[in-house]
Amino acid sequence: MKLRLILMICLISFSLSAQDKNKNETILVEANCQMCQKRIEKAAIKVKGVKYASWDIPSNQLTLIYNENKTNLKDIQSAIAEVGHDTKEYIAEEASYQNLPPCCLYRDPTTKEMDHH
């Protein structure tokens, strides 16, 4: 009985210490094309603690997996805004936005109709 109790305590403490600290999030990131996709994903992955970043062109949704102990959603969104893309929390500075290639200027509705290949 005592051995069972010790084993149970050990299992509980092990499972508590091994809890997943990774968080899954999906956020909106304004952009147009595959060039934007590469830029957004690269900016997100460069943030320490981000393990996965995938931006979907049709939905403009960025799916993230990151370690909450190393970073947070605001830091990730800030990094994305620094490379010229707007998120819900952060608007890219005009200079960063204007440095994007012409087809990536997502604030201009006519760029959605451009050839993005």
Side-chain angles (χ1 to χ4, degrees):
M1 184 70 172
K2 222 176 193 181
L3 181 58
R4 233 185 248 175
L5 182 60
I6 291 171
L7 283 173
M8 179 112 55
I9 291 171
C10 287
L11 283 173
I12 291 171
S13 65
F14 177 74
S15 68
L16 288 175
S17 67
Q19 280 185 349
D20 191 12
K21 295 181 179 42
N22 291 333
K23 185 161 185 163
N24 296 334
E25 291 278 352
T26 302
I27 61 170
L28 180 71
V29 180
E30 297 295 334
N32 284 339
C33 63
Q34 288 179 340
M35 284 193 299
C36 298
Q37 180 182 36
K38 289 176 186 174
R39 187 180 313 105
I40 291 163
E41 291 172 356
K42 185 177 178 181
I45 288 290
K46 280 187 173 183
V47 177
K48 185 177 180 174
V50 175
K51 298 178 182 228
Y52 174 83
S54 178
W55 184 75
D56 179 62
I57 294 171
S59 68
N60 284 3
Q61 295 292 316
L62 176 66
T63 302
L64 297 162
I65 299 174
Y66 61 95
N67 184 324
E68 289 183 288
N69 292 336
K70 294 183 180 178
T71 192
N72 58 61
L73 204 50
K74 288 190 176 201
D75 289 345
I76 300 166
Q77 290 182 79
S78 175
I80 292 166
E82 285 178 21
V83 297
H85 293 277
D86 297 346
T87 69
K88 187 176 181 179
E89 298 284 327
Y90 290 87
I91 304 299
E93 290 186 16
E94 191 62 25
S96 297
Y97 173 76
Q98 290 301 329
N99 281 334
L100 296 174
C103 71
C104 296
L105 298 174
Y106 54 87
R107 293 176 188 161
D108 178 354
T110 62
T111 63
K112 297 274 186 203
E113 297 153 12
M114 288 179 144
D115 183 13
H116 295 279
H117 299 283

